[in-house]
Amino acid sequence: MNYGELIPVGGGDPIPLLKPKLLVGRRESCDIRLRFPNVSAHHCLLSLEHGYWFVKDLGSRNGTKVNGQRVVRKRVDPGSEIAFAKHRYQLQYSPTDLGAVGPPPPDEETMAEILGRSLLDRAGLDRRKQMEELDLE
């Protein structure tokens, strides 16, 4: 099944989103491999939730941005621009085709969700937690 695609800004081949959880990074083991020195080995995680794509930065050195704003975790709406380091893509997908019903889910974590996590996890430094999330079905 195709869950959407990342279209490089400025041209290039689209990258199909083939699973509901995708690890983006420079390593060979990543689902979406970006062979650029400024992309971290495990840069971020894309996950499909309630028909919408979310991105979670995994403590990358050069950051992840949605529509120009650096993010830790954020919903990425259809047509939004997502950047891994300085490499920009437009995310194309249809929430209704992916099972979305009603209004979109909150686009950022609530304060209770944030405060319920350890400082290491909030900073993206809890390696054990990251490895659990990376258990990509």
Side-chain angles (χ1 to χ4, degrees):
M1 179 172 179
N2 190 335
Y3 295 95
E5 58 187 3
L6 290 171
I7 300 170
V9 173
D13 294 331
I15 300 169
L17 306 177
L18 301 174
K19 299 186 325 189
K21 262 191 180 179
L22 297 160
L23 178 60
V24 178
R26 200 176 65 246
R27 282 239 170 100
E28 201 66 48
S29 59
C30 292
D31 299 300
I32 296 176
R33 184 155 186 247
L34 300 176
R35 295 175 174 95
F36 303 108
N38 60 346
V39 171
S40 295
H42 291 143
H43 199 90
C44 66
L45 183 67
L46 289 171
S47 58
L48 189 62
E49 302 172 24
H50 311 291
Y52 287 85
W53 281 102
F54 283 76
V55 63
K56 180 177 181 180
D57 188 86
L58 297 174
S60 67
R61 188 176 62 243
N62 292 309
T64 303
K65 292 181 178 179
V66 174
N67 295 326
Q69 298 294 312
R70 193 164 180 158
V71 299
V72 173
R73 184 181 187 279
K74 184 151 181 65
R75 188 183 72 229
V76 186
D77 292 329
S80 293
E81 185 177 286
I82 185 168
F84 315 109
K86 301 252 184 248
H87 308 281
R88 299 178 309 142
Y89 298 83
Q90 187 180 53
L91 181 57
Q92 293 291 337
Y93 70 100
S94 168
T96 51
D97 290 352
L98 299 176
V101 178
D107 77 341
E108 295 178 359
E109 292 177 295
T110 66
M111 191 55 69
E113 290 169 327
I114 292 169
L115 294 176
R117 298 191 342 246
S118 74
L119 287 174
L120 284 174
D121 184 33
R122 283 188 256 168
L125 299 173
D126 188 339
R127 301 308 280 172
R128 190 175 59 236
K129 177 96 169 154
Q130 282 185 8
M131 295 317 287
E132 287 172 12
E133 287 181 353
L134 298 181
D135 184 23
L136 307 168
E137 289 90 48

